[in-house]
Amino acid sequence: MEETDPKRRPPLGMREITAVGSGLGTFILVDAIMMYSAFERNVMHGNDANLVAQALALLLLAFGLGGFLAWKMTGFMRLYGVGLMCGWTFLTLFSLGFCTGLNA
């Protein structure tokens, strides 16, 4: 596969940074809404069954929708999908899996 000449490659601009940041921010917002109720119920009642469903929903959002957008779309939407996947990865590493349901 032939690599693009560095002189012809466009520089990373605010449009790309905004697209990835929007996907990352969207995932963080959805994760905060979904996992708040799961953690509240888990602390109050000790029920871990909800975390599995919510972890699967977050995985489907990040890698299902995000992967589809990164694979099939172009431009802003492709980078938005990459941002969704980066959001899941960031929250998993930052919270040691608690925010994405991997670690109960």
Side-chain angles (χ1 to χ4, degrees):
M1 189 167 146
E2 190 174 317
E3 195 169 322
T4 306
D5 183 22
K7 294 177 185 174
R8 296 184 62 204
R9 189 178 306 149
L12 187 65
M14 280 306 293
R15 181 173 184 260
E16 289 82 10
I17 294 169
T18 303
V20 173
S22 297
L24 192 131
T26 301
F27 185 82
I28 290 173
L29 178 67
V30 169
D31 182 67
I33 292 168
M34 286 182 69
M35 294 310 281
Y36 174 74
S37 65
F39 283 134
E40 187 175 339
R41 275 183 262 154
N42 193 15
V43 169
M44 298 291 251
H45 304 292
N47 187 6
D48 290 337
N50 339 357
L51 289 179
V52 174
Q54 286 171 316
L56 289 175
L58 289 171
L59 264 173
L60 186 64
L61 172 71
F63 293 103
L65 179 62
F68 173 76
L69 291 175
W71 182 43
K72 288 287 189 184
M73 300 295 175
T74 59
F76 186 88
M77 292 309 288
R78 173 174 284 193
L79 294 171
Y80 185 81
V82 170
L84 286 172
M85 293 185 282
C86 288
W88 185 89
T89 305
F90 170 75
L91 279 177
T92 300
L93 293 175
F94 183 72
S95 71
L96 302 175
F98 285 106
C99 287
T100 52
L102 293 181
N103 192 3

Coordinates of all heavy atoms in Angstrom, one line a residue:
M1 N 0.8 -1.2 0.0 CA 0.0 0.0 0.0 C 0.9 1.2 0.0 O 1.8 1.3 0.8 CB -0.9 0.0 1.2 CG -1.9 1.0 1.2 SD -3.1 0.6 2.5 CE -3.5 2.2 3.0
E2 N 0.6 2.2 -0.9 CA 1.4 3.4 -1.0 C 1.0 4.4 0.0 O -0.2 4.7 0.3 CB 1.1 3.9 -2.4 CG 2.1 5.0 -2.7 CD 2.0 5.5 -4.2 OE1 1.8 4.6 -5.0 OE2 1.9 6.7 -4.4
E3 N 2.0 5.0 0.7 CA 1.7 6.0 1.7 C 1.6 7.4 1.1 O 2.2 7.7 0.1 CB 2.8 6.0 2.7 CG 2.5 6.7 4.0 CD 3.5 6.5 5.1 OE1 4.0 5.3 5.2 OE2 3.8 7.4 5.8
T4 N 0.7 8.2 1.7 CA 0.5 9.5 1.2 C 1.7 10.4 1.5 O 2.3 10.3 2.5 CB -0.7 10.2 1.9 OG1 -1.8 9.3 1.8 CG2 -1.1 11.5 1.3
D5 N 2.1 11.2 0.5 CA 3.2 12.1 0.6 C 2.9 13.1 1.8 O 1.8 13.7 1.8 CB 3.4 12.9 -0.7 CG 4.6 13.8 -0.6 OD1 5.5 13.6 0.2 OD2 4.6 14.7 -1.5
P6 N 3.8 13.3 2.7 CA 3.6 14.2 3.9 C 3.3 15.6 3.5 O 2.6 16.3 4.2 CB 4.9 14.1 4.7 CG 5.5 12.9 4.3 CD 5.1 12.6 2.9
K7 N 3.8 16.0 2.3 CA 3.5 17.4 1.9 C 2.0 17.6 1.4 O 1.5 18.6 1.5 CB 4.4 17.8 0.7 CG 5.9 17.9 1.1 CD 6.7 18.2 -0.1 CE 8.2 18.2 0.4 NZ 9.1 18.3 -0.8
R8 N 1.4 16.5 0.9 CA 0.0 16.5 0.5 C -1.0 16.2 1.6 O -2.2 16.4 1.4 CB -0.1 15.6 -0.7 CG 0.7 16.0 -1.9 CD 0.5 15.1 -3.1 NE -0.9 15.2 -3.5 CZ -1.6 14.3 -4.1 NH1 -1.0 13.2 -4.5 NH2 -2.8 14.4 -4.5
R9 N -0.5 15.7 2.7 CA -1.4 15.3 3.8 C -1.9 16.6 4.5 O -1.0 17.4 4.9 CB -0.7 14.4 4.7 CG -1.6 13.8 5.8 CD -0.8 12.8 6.7 NE -0.1 11.8 5.9 CZ 1.0 11.2 6.3 NH1 1.6 11.6 7.4 NH2 1.6 10.3 5.5
P10 N -3.2 16.8 4.7 CA -3.6 18.0 5.4 C -3.3 17.9 6.8 O -3.3 16.8 7.4 CB -5.2 17.9 5.2 CG -5.5 16.5 4.9 CD -4.3 15.9 4.2
P11 N -3.0 19.1 7.4 CA -2.7 19.1 8.8 C -3.9 18.8 9.7 O -5.0 19.0 9.3 CB -2.1 20.5 9.1 CG -2.8 21.3 8.0 CD -3.0 20.4 6.8
L12 N -3.6 18.4 10.9 CA -4.7 18.2 11.9 C -5.3 19.5 12.3 O -4.5 20.4 12.8 CB -4.2 17.4 13.1 CG -5.2 16.9 14.1 CD1 -6.1 15.9 13.5 CD2 -4.5 16.3 15.3
G13 N -6.6 19.7 12.1 CA -7.2 21.0 12.4 C -8.2 20.9 13.4 O -8.5 19.9 14.0
M14 N -8.8 22.1 13.7 CA -9.9 22.1 14.7 C -11.1 21.3 14.4 O -11.8 20.8 15.3 CB -10.3 23.6 15.0 CG -9.3 24.4 15.9 SD -9.0 23.6 17.4 CE -10.5 23.7 18.3
R15 N -11.4 21.1 13.1 CA -12.5 20.3 12.7 C -12.4 18.9 13.2 O -13.3 18.3 13.7 CB -12.7 20.4 11.2 CG -13.9 19.6 10.7 CD -14.1 19.9 9.2 NE -15.3 19.2 8.8 CZ -15.3 18.0 8.2 NH1 -14.1 17.4 7.9 NH2 -16.4 17.5 7.8
E16 N -11.2 18.3 13.0 CA -10.9 17.0 13.4 C -10.9 16.8 14.9 O -11.5 15.9 15.5 CB -9.6 16.5 12.8 CG -9.6 16.3 11.3 CD -9.4 17.5 10.5 OE1 -9.1 18.6 11.1 OE2 -9.6 17.5 9.3
I17 N -10.3 17.8 15.6 CA -10.3 17.7 17.1 C -11.7 17.9 17.6 O -12.0 17.2 18.6 CB -9.3 18.8 17.6 CG1 -7.9 18.5 17.2 CG2 -9.4 19.0 19.1 CD1 -6.9 19.7 17.4
T18 N -12.5 18.8 17.0 CA -13.9 19.0 17.5 C -14.7 17.7 17.3 O -15.5 17.3 18.1 CB -14.5 20.1 16.8 OG1 -13.7 21.3 17.0 CG2 -15.9 20.4 17.2
A19 N -14.5 17.0 16.2 CA -15.3 15.8 15.9 C -15.0 14.7 16.9 O -15.9 14.1 17.4 CB -15.0 15.3 14.4
V20 N -13.7 14.4 17.1 CA -13.3 13.4 18.1 C -13.8 13.8 19.5 O -14.3 13.0 20.2 CB -11.8 13.1 18.0 CG1 -11.4 12.2 19.1 CG2 -11.4 12.6 16.6
G21 N -13.6 15.1 19.8 CA -14.0 15.6 21.1 C -15.5 15.5 21.3 O -16.0 15.2 22.4
S22 N -16.3 15.7 20.3 CA -17.7 15.6 20.4 C -18.1 14.1 20.6 O -19.0 13.9 21.5 CB -18.4 16.1 19.1 OG -18.1 17.4 18.9
G23 N -17.5 13.2 20.0 CA -17.8 11.8 20.2 C -17.4 11.4 21.6 O -18.2 10.7 22.3
L24 N -16.3 11.8 22.0 CA -15.8 11.5 23.4 C -16.7 12.1 24.4 O -17.1 11.4 25.4 CB -14.4 12.0 23.6 CG -13.7 11.6 24.8 CD1 -12.3 11.1 24.4 CD2 -13.5 12.7 25.8
G25 N -17.1 13.4 24.3 CA -18.0 14.0 25.2 C -19.4 13.4 25.2 O -20.0 13.2 26.3
T26 N -19.9 13.0 24.1 CA -21.2 12.3 24.0 C -21.2 11.0 24.8 O -22.1 10.7 25.5 CB -21.6 12.0 22.5 OG1 -21.7 13.3 21.8 CG2 -22.9 11.3 22.4
F27 N -20.1 10.2 24.6 CA -20.0 9.0 25.3 C -19.9 9.2 26.8 O -20.6 8.5 27.6 CB -18.8 8.1 24.8 CG -18.8 6.8 25.5 CD1 -19.6 5.7 25.0 CD2 -18.1 6.5 26.6 CE1 -19.6 4.5 25.6 CE2 -18.1 5.3 27.3 CZ -18.9 4.3 26.7
I28 N -19.2 10.2 27.2 CA -19.0 10.4 28.7 C -20.4 10.9 29.2 O -20.8 10.4 30.3 CB -17.9 11.5 28.9 CG1 -16.6 10.9 28.6 CG2 -18.0 12.0 30.3 CD1 -15.4 11.9 28.7
L29 N -21.1 11.7 28.5 CA -22.5 12.1 29.0 C -23.4 10.9 29.1 O -24.1 10.7 30.1 CB -23.0 13.1 28.1 CG -24.4 13.6 28.4 CD1 -24.4 14.4 29.7 CD2 -25.0 14.5 27.3
V30 N -23.5 10.1 28.1 CA -24.4 8.9 28.1 C -23.9 7.9 29.2 O -24.8 7.4 29.9 CB -24.4 8.2 26.7 CG1 -25.0 6.8 26.8 CG2 -25.0 9.1 25.7
D31 N -22.6 7.7 29.4 CA -22.1 6.9 30.4 C -22.5 7.4 31.8 O -22.9 6.6 32.7 CB -20.6 6.7 30.3 CG -20.0 5.8 31.3 OD1 -20.3 4.6 31.2 OD2 -19.3 6.3 32.2
A32 N -22.4 8.7 32.0 CA -22.7 9.3 33.3 C -24.2 9.1 33.6 O -24.5 8.8 34.8 CB -22.4 10.8 33.3
I33 N -25.0 9.2 32.6 CA -26.5 9.0 32.9 C -26.8 7.6 33.1 O -27.5 7.2 34.1 CB -27.3 9.6 31.7 CG1 -27.1 11.1 31.6 CG2 -28.7 9.2 31.8 CD1 -27.7 11.7 30.3
M34 N -26.3 6.7 32.3 CA -26.6 5.2 32.5 C -26.0 4.7 33.8 O -26.6 3.9 34.5 CB -26.0 4.4 31.3 CG -26.9 4.6 30.1 SD -26.3 3.6 28.7 CE -26.7 2.0 29.3
M35 N -24.8 5.0 34.1 CA -24.1 4.3 35.2 C -24.5 4.9 36.6 O -24.3 4.3 37.6 CB -22.6 4.3 35.0 CG -22.1 3.5 33.8 SD -22.8 1.8 33.8 CE -21.8 1.0 34.9
Y36 N -25.0 6.2 36.6 CA -25.4 6.8 37.8 C -26.5 5.9 38.5 O -26.4 5.6 39.7 CB -25.9 8.2 37.6 CG -26.4 8.8 38.9 CD1 -25.6 9.2 39.9 CD2 -27.8 8.9 39.1 CE1 -26.1 9.7 41.1 CE2 -28.3 9.5 40.3 CZ -27.4 9.9 41.3 OH -28.0 10.4 42.4
S37 N -27.5 5.6 37.7 CA -28.6 4.8 38.3 C -28.1 3.4 38.7 O -28.6 2.8 39.7 CB -29.7 4.7 37.3 OG -29.3 4.0 36.1
A38 N -27.2 2.8 37.9 CA -26.7 1.5 38.2 C -25.9 1.5 39.5 O -26.1 0.6 40.4 CB -25.8 1.0 37.1
F39 N -25.1 2.5 39.7 CA -24.3 2.6 41.0 C -25.2 2.9 42.2 O -25.0 2.4 43.2 CB -23.2 3.6 40.8 CG -22.0 3.1 40.0 CD1 -21.5 3.9 39.1 CD2 -21.5 1.9 40.2 CE1 -20.4 3.5 38.3 CE2 -20.4 1.4 39.5 CZ -19.9 2.3 38.5
E40 N -26.2 3.7 42.0 CA -27.1 4.0 43.1 C -27.9 2.8 43.5 O -28.0 2.5 44.7 CB -28.1 5.1 42.6 CG -28.9 5.6 43.8 CD -29.8 6.8 43.4 OE1 -29.5 7.4 42.4 OE2 -30.8 7.0 44.0
R41 N -28.4 2.0 42.5 CA -29.1 0.8 42.9 C -28.1 -0.3 43.5 O -28.5 -1.0 44.4 CB -29.8 0.2 41.7 CG -31.1 0.8 41.4 CD -31.8 0.2 40.3 NE -31.6 1.1 39.2 CZ -31.5 0.7 37.9 NH1 -31.7 -0.5 37.6 NH2 -31.3 1.6 37.0
N42 N -26.9 -0.3 43.0 CA -26.0 -1.3 43.5 C -25.6 -1.0 44.9 O -25.5 -1.9 45.7 CB -24.7 -1.3 42.6 CG -23.8 -2.5 42.8 OD1 -24.2 -3.4 43.4 ND2 -22.6 -2.4 42.4
V43 N -25.4 0.2 45.3 CA -25.0 0.6 46.6 C -26.2 0.4 47.6 O -26.1 -0.1 48.7 CB -24.6 2.1 46.7 CG1 -24.4 2.6 48.1 CG2 -23.2 2.2 45.9
M44 N -27.4 0.7 47.1 CA -28.6 0.6 48.0 C -29.0 -0.8 48.2 O -29.4 -1.2 49.2 CB -29.8 1.4 47.4 CG -29.5 2.9 47.3 SD -29.4 3.6 48.9 CE -30.8 4.6 48.9
H45 N -29.0 -1.6 47.1 CA -29.6 -3.0 47.1 C -28.6 -4.1 46.9 O -28.9 -5.3 47.1 CB -30.7 -3.1 46.1 CG -31.8 -2.1 46.2 ND1 -32.6 -2.0 47.3 CD2 -32.1 -1.0 45.4 CE1 -33.5 -1.0 47.2 NE2 -33.2 -0.4 46.1
G46 N -27.4 -3.8 46.5 CA -26.4 -4.8 46.3 C -26.7 -5.7 45.1 O -26.4 -6.9 45.1
N47 N -27.3 -5.2 44.0 CA -27.7 -6.0 42.9 C -26.7 -5.7 41.7 O -26.7 -4.6 41.2 CB -29.1 -5.6 42.5 CG -29.6 -6.5 41.4 OD1 -29.0 -7.5 41.0 ND2 -30.8 -6.2 40.9
D48 N -26.0 -6.7 41.2 CA -25.0 -6.5 40.2 C -25.6 -6.9 38.8 O -24.9 -6.7 37.8 CB -23.8 -7.4 40.4 CG -22.9 -6.9 41.5 OD1 -23.0 -5.7 41.9 OD2 -22.2 -7.7 42.1
A49 N -26.8 -7.3 38.7 CA -27.4 -7.8 37.4 C -27.5 -6.6 36.5 O -27.4 -6.8 35.3 CB -28.7 -8.5 37.7
N50 N -27.8 -5.4 37.0 CA -28.1 -4.3 36.1 C -26.8 -3.9 35.4 O -26.8 -3.4 34.3 CB -28.6 -3.0 36.8 CG -29.2 -3.3 38.1 OD1 -29.4 -4.4 38.5 ND2 -29.6 -2.3 38.8
L51 N -25.6 -4.0 36.1 CA -24.4 -3.6 35.5 C -24.0 -4.4 34.2 O -23.4 -3.8 33.3 CB -23.2 -3.8 36.5 CG -23.3 -2.8 37.7 CD1 -22.1 -3.1 38.6 CD2 -23.2 -1.4 37.2
V52 N -24.4 -5.6 34.1 CA -24.1 -6.4 32.9 C -24.9 -5.8 31.7 O -24.3 -5.6 30.6 CB -24.5 -7.9 33.1 CG1 -24.3 -8.7 31.8 CG2 -23.6 -8.5 34.2
A53 N -26.1 -5.5 31.9 CA -26.9 -5.0 30.8 C -26.4 -3.6 30.4 O -26.4 -3.3 29.2 CB -28.4 -4.9 31.2
Q54 N -26.1 -2.8 31.4 CA -25.6 -1.5 31.0 C -24.2 -1.5 30.4 O -23.9 -0.7 29.5 CB -25.7 -0.6 32.2 CG -27.2 -0.2 32.5 CD -27.4 0.5 33.8 OE1 -26.8 0.1 34.8 NE2 -28.2 1.5 33.8
A55 N -23.4 -2.4 30.9 CA -22.1 -2.6 30.3 C -22.2 -3.0 28.8 O -21.5 -2.5 27.9 CB -21.2 -3.5 31.0
L56 N -23.1 -3.9 28.5 CA -23.3 -4.3 27.1 C -23.9 -3.2 26.3 O -23.5 -3.1 25.1 CB -24.2 -5.6 27.1 CG -23.6 -6.9 27.6 CD1 -24.6 -8.0 27.7 CD2 -22.4 -7.3 26.8
A57 N -24.8 -2.4 26.8 CA -25.3 -1.3 26.1 C -24.2 -0.3 25.8 O -24.2 0.3 24.7 CB -26.5 -0.6 26.9
L58 N -23.3 0.0 26.7 CA -22.3 0.9 26.5 C -21.3 0.4 25.5 O -20.8 1.1 24.6 CB -21.5 1.3 27.8 CG -22.3 2.1 28.8 CD1 -21.6 2.2 30.1 CD2 -22.6 3.5 28.2
L59 N -21.0 -0.9 25.5 CA -20.1 -1.5 24.5 C -20.7 -1.4 23.1 O -20.1 -1.1 22.1 CB -19.9 -3.0 24.9 CG -18.6 -3.3 25.6 CD1 -18.6 -4.8 26.1 CD2 -17.4 -3.0 24.8
L60 N -22.0 -1.7 23.0 CA -22.7 -1.6 21.8 C -22.7 -0.2 21.2 O -22.5 0.0 20.0 CB -24.2 -2.1 21.9 CG -25.0 -2.2 20.6 CD1 -24.3 -3.2 19.7 CD2 -26.4 -2.6 20.9
L61 N -22.9 0.8 22.1 CA -22.9 2.2 21.7 C -21.5 2.6 21.2 O -21.4 3.1 20.1 CB -23.3 3.1 22.8 CG -23.1 4.6 22.6 CD1 -24.1 5.1 21.6 CD2 -23.1 5.4 23.9
A62 N -20.5 2.3 22.0 CA -19.1 2.7 21.6 C -18.6 1.9 20.4 O -18.1 2.6 19.4 CB -18.2 2.5 22.8
F63 N -18.7 0.6 20.4 CA -18.0 -0.1 19.3 C -19.0 -0.5 18.2 O -18.6 -0.8 17.1 CB -17.3 -1.3 19.9 CG -16.1 -0.9 20.7 CD1 -16.2 -0.9 22.1 CD2 -15.0 -0.4 20.1 CE1 -15.1 -0.5 22.9 CE2 -13.9 0.0 20.9 CZ -14.0 0.0 22.3
G64 N -20.3 -0.6 18.5 CA -21.3 -0.9 17.5 C -21.5 0.3 16.6 O -21.2 0.4 15.4
L65 N -22.0 1.4 17.3 CA -22.3 2.6 16.5 C -21.0 3.3 16.1 O -20.9 3.8 15.0 CB -23.2 3.6 17.4 CG -23.5 4.9 16.7 CD1 -24.3 4.7 15.5 CD2 -24.2 5.8 17.7
G66 N -20.1 3.4 17.1 CA -18.8 4.1 16.7 C -18.0 3.4 15.6 O -17.5 4.0 14.7
G67 N -18.0 2.0 15.7 CA -17.3 1.3 14.7 C -18.0 1.4 13.3 O -17.3 1.5 12.3
F68 N -19.3 1.4 13.3 CA -20.1 1.6 12.1 C -19.8 3.0 11.5 O -19.5 3.1 10.3 CB -21.6 1.4 12.3 CG -22.4 1.8 11.1 CD1 -22.5 0.9 10.1 CD2 -23.1 3.0 11.1 CE1 -23.3 1.2 8.9 CE2 -23.8 3.3 9.9 CZ -23.9 2.5 8.9
L69 N -19.8 4.0 12.3 CA -19.5 5.3 11.8 C -18.1 5.4 11.3 O -17.9 6.1 10.2 CB -19.8 6.4 12.9 CG -21.2 6.6 13.3 CD1 -21.3 7.6 14.5 CD2 -22.1 7.1 12.2
A70 N -17.1 4.9 12.0 CA -15.7 4.9 11.5 C -15.5 4.1 10.3 O -14.6 4.5 9.5 CB -14.8 4.5 12.7
W71 N -16.3 3.1 10.1 CA -16.1 2.2 8.9 C -16.8 2.7 7.7 O -16.2 2.6 6.6 CB -16.5 0.8 9.3 CG -16.3 -0.3 8.3 CD1 -15.2 -0.4 7.5 CD2 -17.3 -1.3 7.9 NE1 -15.4 -1.5 6.6 CE2 -16.6 -2.0 6.9 CE3 -18.5 -1.6 8.4 CZ2 -17.3 -3.1 6.3 CZ3 -19.1 -2.7 7.8 CH2 -18.5 -3.4 6.8
K72 N -18.0 3.1 7.8 CA -18.9 3.4 6.7 C -19.0 4.9 6.3 O -19.3 5.2 5.2 CB -20.3 2.9 6.9 CG -20.4 1.4 6.8 CD -20.3 0.9 5.4 CE -20.6 -0.6 5.3 NZ -20.4 -1.1 4.0
M73 N -18.8 5.8 7.3 CA -19.0 7.2 7.0 C -17.7 7.9 6.6 O -16.7 7.3 6.7 CB -19.7 7.9 8.2 CG -21.0 7.3 8.6 SD -22.2 7.6 7.3 CE -23.6 6.8 8.0
T74 N -17.8 9.1 6.3 CA -16.7 9.9 5.9 C -16.7 11.2 6.7 O -17.8 11.6 7.2 CB -16.6 10.2 4.4 OG1 -17.8 10.9 4.0 CG2 -16.4 9.0 3.6
G75 N -15.6 11.9 6.7 CA -15.6 13.3 7.3 C -15.8 13.3 8.8 O -15.3 12.5 9.6
F76 N -16.7 14.2 9.2 CA -17.0 14.5 10.6 C -17.6 13.2 11.3 O -17.2 12.9 12.4 CB -18.0 15.6 10.7 CG -18.3 16.1 12.1 CD1 -17.5 17.0 12.7 CD2 -19.3 15.5 12.9 CE1 -17.7 17.4 14.0 CE2 -19.6 15.9 14.2 CZ -18.8 16.9 14.8
M77 N -18.5 12.5 10.7 CA -19.1 11.4 11.3 C -18.1 10.2 11.5 O -18.2 9.5 12.5 CB -20.3 10.9 10.5 CG -21.4 11.9 10.4 SD -22.0 12.4 12.1 CE -22.7 11.0 12.7
R78 N -17.1 10.1 10.7 CA -16.1 9.0 10.9 C -15.3 9.3 12.1 O -15.1 8.5 13.0 CB -15.2 9.0 9.7 CG -14.0 8.0 9.9 CD -13.2 7.9 8.7 NE -14.0 7.0 7.8 CZ -13.5 6.4 6.7 NH1 -12.3 6.6 6.4 NH2 -14.3 5.6 6.0
L79 N -14.9 10.6 12.3 CA -14.1 11.0 13.5 C -15.0 11.0 14.7 O -14.5 10.7 15.8 CB -13.5 12.3 13.2 CG -12.4 12.3 12.1 CD1 -12.0 13.8 11.8 CD2 -11.3 11.5 12.5
Y80 N -16.3 11.3 14.6 CA -17.2 11.2 15.7 C -17.3 9.7 16.2 O -17.3 9.5 17.4 CB -18.6 11.7 15.3 CG -19.6 11.7 16.4 CD1 -19.6 12.8 17.2 CD2 -20.6 10.7 16.6 CE1 -20.6 12.9 18.2 CE2 -21.5 10.8 17.6 CZ -21.5 11.9 18.4 OH -22.4 12.0 19.4
G81 N -17.3 8.8 15.3 CA -17.3 7.4 15.7 C -16.0 7.0 16.4 O -16.0 6.2 17.4
V82 N -14.9 7.5 15.9 CA -13.6 7.3 16.6 C -13.7 7.9 18.0 O -13.2 7.3 19.0 CB -12.5 7.8 15.8 CG1 -11.2 7.8 16.6 CG2 -12.3 7.1 14.5
G83 N -14.3 9.0 18.2 CA -14.4 9.7 19.5 C -15.3 8.8 20.4 O -14.9 8.8 21.6
L84 N -16.3 8.2 19.9 CA -17.1 7.3 20.8 C -16.3 6.1 21.3 O -16.3 5.8 22.5 CB -18.3 6.7 20.0 CG -19.5 7.7 19.7 CD1 -20.5 7.0 18.8 CD2 -20.1 8.2 21.0
M85 N -15.5 5.6 20.5 CA -14.6 4.4 20.9 C -13.5 4.9 21.8 O -13.2 4.2 22.8 CB -14.0 3.7 19.7 CG -15.1 3.0 18.8 SD -14.4 2.1 17.5 CE -14.1 3.3 16.3
C86 N -13.0 6.1 21.6 CA -12.0 6.7 22.5 C -12.6 7.0 23.8 O -11.9 6.8 24.9 CB -11.4 7.9 21.9 SG -10.3 7.6 20.5
G87 N -13.8 7.4 23.9 CA -14.5 7.7 25.1 C -14.7 6.5 26.0 O -14.4 6.5 27.2
W88 N -15.0 5.3 25.4 CA -15.1 4.1 26.1 C -13.8 3.7 26.7 O -13.6 3.3 27.8 CB -15.7 3.0 25.3 CG -15.9 1.7 26.0 CD1 -17.1 1.4 26.7 CD2 -15.0 0.6 26.2 NE1 -16.9 0.1 27.2 CE2 -15.7 -0.3 27.0 CE3 -13.7 0.4 25.8 CZ2 -15.1 -1.5 27.3 CZ3 -13.1 -0.8 26.1 CH2 -13.8 -1.7 26.9
T89 N -12.8 3.8 25.8 CA -11.4 3.4 26.3 C -10.9 4.3 27.4 O -10.4 3.8 28.4 CB -10.4 3.5 25.1 OG1 -10.9 2.7 24.0 CG2 -9.0 3.0 25.5
F90 N -11.1 5.6 27.2 CA -10.7 6.6 28.2 C -11.4 6.3 29.6 O -10.7 6.3 30.6 CB -11.0 8.0 27.8 CG -10.8 9.0 28.9 CD1 -9.5 9.4 29.2 CD2 -11.8 9.6 29.5 CE1 -9.3 10.3 30.2 CE2 -11.7 10.6 30.5 CZ -10.4 10.9 30.8
L91 N -12.7 6.1 29.6 CA -13.4 5.9 30.8 C -13.0 4.6 31.5 O -13.0 4.5 32.7 CB -14.9 6.0 30.6 CG -15.4 7.4 30.6 CD1 -16.9 7.4 30.3 CD2 -15.1 8.2 31.9
T92 N -12.8 3.6 30.7 CA -12.4 2.3 31.2 C -11.1 2.4 31.9 O -10.9 1.9 33.0 CB -12.4 1.2 30.1 OG1 -13.7 1.1 29.5 CG2 -12.0 -0.1 30.6
L93 N -10.1 3.0 31.3 CA -8.8 3.1 31.9 C -8.8 4.1 33.0 O -8.1 3.8 34.0 CB -7.8 3.6 30.8 CG -7.5 2.6 29.7 CD1 -6.6 3.2 28.6 CD2 -6.9 1.3 30.2
F94 N -9.5 5.2 32.9 CA -9.5 6.2 34.0 C -10.2 5.7 35.2 O -9.7 6.0 36.3 CB -10.2 7.5 33.4 CG -10.2 8.6 34.4 CD1 -9.0 9.3 34.7 CD2 -11.3 9.0 35.1 CE1 -9.0 10.4 35.6 CE2 -11.3 10.0 36.0 CZ -10.1 10.7 36.2
S95 N -11.2 5.0 35.1 CA -12.0 4.5 36.3 C -11.7 3.1 36.6 O -12.4 2.5 37.5 CB -13.5 4.7 36.0 OG -13.9 3.8 35.1
L96 N -10.7 2.4 36.0 CA -10.4 1.0 36.2 C -11.6 0.1 35.9 O -11.8 -0.9 36.6 CB -9.9 0.8 37.6 CG -8.7 1.6 38.0 CD1 -8.3 1.4 39.5 CD2 -7.5 1.3 37.2
G97 N -12.4 0.5 35.0 CA -13.6 -0.3 34.6 C -14.9 -0.1 35.3 O -15.9 -0.6 35.0
F98 N -14.9 0.7 36.4 CA -16.1 1.0 37.2 C -17.1 1.7 36.3 O -18.3 1.4 36.4 CB -15.8 1.7 38.4 CG -15.1 0.9 39.5 CD1 -13.8 1.0 39.8 CD2 -15.9 -0.1 40.2 CE1 -13.2 0.2 40.7 CE2 -15.3 -0.9 41.1 CZ -13.9 -0.8 41.4
C99 N -16.7 2.7 35.6 CA -17.7 3.6 34.8 C -18.2 2.9 33.6 O -19.3 3.3 33.1 CB -17.0 4.9 34.4 SG -16.8 6.0 35.8
T100 N -17.6 1.8 33.1 CA -18.1 1.1 32.0 C -18.7 -0.3 32.3 O -19.0 -1.0 31.4 CB -17.0 1.0 30.9 OG1 -15.9 0.4 31.5 CG2 -16.7 2.3 30.3
G101 N -18.7 -0.6 33.6 CA -19.3 -1.8 34.0 C -18.4 -3.1 33.9 O -18.9 -4.2 34.1
L102 N -17.2 -2.9 33.6 CA -16.3 -4.0 33.5 C -15.8 -4.5 34.8 O -15.5 -5.7 35.0 CB -15.0 -3.7 32.6 CG -15.3 -3.4 31.2 CD1 -14.0 -3.1 30.5 CD2 -16.0 -4.6 30.5
N103 N -15.8 -3.7 35.8 CA -15.3 -4.0 37.1 C -16.5 -3.6 38.1 O -16.7 -2.5 38.3 CB -14.1 -3.3 37.5 CG -13.4 -3.8 38.7 OD1 -13.9 -4.7 39.3 ND2 -12.3 -3.2 39.1
A104 N -17.1 -4.6 38.7 CA -18.2 -4.3 39.6 C -17.7 -4.1 40.9 O -17.5 -3.8 41.9 CB -19.2 -5.4 39.6

